[in-house]
Amino acid sequence: MYDLTPIIGENLAKLRRKKRLSLDKLSELSGISKAMIGQIERGESNPTVNTLWKIASGLRVSFGKLIDTNQPATELVRLNDITPITDTDGMTLVPLFSFDNDKGFEIFSITMAPHSVHEAAGHVGGSEEYVLSFEGDLEITLESETYTLAAGDAIRFKSDQTHTYRNPSDKIVKFQTILYYS
């Protein structure tokens, strides 16, 4: 199992420098404190999913750019070999395939604890999200409309808007998300 904390820190620092952003400016763009961004860059903090999304949006890059491990052209992914990113709201995210500029997408395996709710900030403009439900009932709210996915259902939506995932049941919900960046 590999630890994503130092990888995230190194990638964040490189991306911020490449875009010539100060800690102050990235803080302003992302809504994440300068101190927290510095801690993440130094590998002193294990950021939540929401924090990473906000930083990625502030940098105007994909989530995968922050967790990219520069894997070889052929990659066998074993779920148990990846350190999951767990949020305090009951969502656990496992990055299966990081963003690739040539492909324009990234794939995540996600688990939600019973009765948990996760509000996702809008992603980079023009992005789309494809959600495939595998276990349990998942509710997704987009603006004022709520969609319920049962195991085997799927949905596609423009993900540059705030969207909320909710597990209304007493059981774990499992799904995968493909984020496509146009």
Side-chain angles (χ1 to χ4, degrees):
M1 193 175 299
Y2 56 88
D3 182 9
L4 287 175
T5 302
I7 294 167
I8 291 168
E10 183 178 317
N11 290 342
L12 172 55
K14 283 180 186 174
L15 288 165
R16 184 176 60 78
R17 284 191 299 269
K18 182 178 179 182
K19 292 185 175 273
R20 299 175 191 240
L21 296 173
S22 66
L23 287 172
D24 285 324
K25 186 62 177 176
L26 181 54
S27 175
E28 177 186 320
L29 293 171
S30 66
I32 302 300
S33 74
K34 175 182 169 181
M36 175 58 76
I37 293 169
Q39 289 172 356
I40 295 167
E41 285 189 1
R42 292 187 302 274
E44 297 170 356
S45 176
N46 187 11
T48 65
V49 173
N50 261 345
T51 298
L52 291 176
W53 280 121
K54 288 177 182 178
I55 291 171
S57 293
L59 287 168
R60 301 193 53 77
V61 299
S62 70
F63 184 93
K65 285 283 193 189
L66 293 174
I67 58 175
D68 185 21
T69 57
N70 296 318
Q71 295 295 320
T74 301
E75 182 179 3
L76 172 62
V77 177
R78 299 205 187 274
L79 196 61
N80 293 332
D81 291 343
I82 303 170
T83 303
I85 301 168
T86 303
D87 220 336
T88 56
D89 59 16
M91 177 182 267
T92 301
L93 182 141
V94 178
L96 296 175
F97 294 99
S98 297
F99 180 77
D100 178 327
N101 276 327
D102 295 332
K103 310 263 184 305
F105 68 88
E106 54 193 339
I107 302 175
F108 304 96
S109 180
I110 302 171
T111 304
M112 288 189 73
H115 303 287
S116 60
V117 177
H118 177 83
E119 185 173 304
H123 308 310
V124 175
S127 61
E128 292 182 347
E129 199 156 327
Y130 295 76
V131 179
L132 301 88
S133 180
F134 294 108
E135 186 176 321
D137 292 329
L138 172 65
E139 291 181 356
I140 299 176
T141 302
L142 308 168
E143 295 179 358
S144 60
E145 184 98 27
T146 299
Y147 303 87
T148 302
L149 279 66
D153 292 344
I155 189 171
R156 177 192 58 81
F157 58 90
K158 301 285 184 192
S159 57
D160 55 359
Q161 61 184 311
T162 299
H163 43 287
T164 304
Y165 299 95
R166 182 173 176 264
N167 176 357
S169 74
D170 293 328
K171 299 178 181 175
I172 287 177
V173 169
K174 294 182 180 181
F175 59 100
Q176 286 186 341
T177 298
I178 300 169
L179 274 170
Y180 170 75
Y181 303 91
S182 60

